[in-house]
Amino acid sequence: MMNRKYFFFDIDGTLAVGTPGNQYIPESTQYALKQLEAEGHFIAIATGRSYKLVAKNP
């Protein structure tokens, strides 16, 4: 039986890299997040950003 874990991540400087206004989530980070989900874990964003700003980052 697997223990499902909950992972919460910040965006700036944690998931997203680059200069303000030109930030992106690296492919390696996207891959790691997908692996966590595939293993049955729950991932979420914990940020002070507005939804509109967060949603434009894939």
Side-chain angles (χ1 to χ4, degrees):
M1 173 186 224
M2 185 188 85
N3 291 325
R4 183 174 184 178
K5 296 181 182 176
Y6 293 79
F7 294 88
F8 295 86
F9 297 96
D10 182 40
I11 299 249
D12 298 316
T14 303
L15 293 181
V17 297
T19 57
N22 192 28
Q23 293 178 308
Y24 64 97
I25 300 174
E27 286 184 34
S28 59
T29 302
Q30 292 179 44
Y31 176 79
L33 295 173
K34 288 176 185 173
Q35 287 298 111
L36 287 172
E37 284 185 316
E39 293 173 7
H41 301 295
F42 175 82
I43 61 169
I45 302 298
T47 184
R49 284 184 175 202
S50 70
Y51 175 78
K52 184 176 180 181
L53 290 173
V54 174
K56 74 177 193 177
N57 288 307

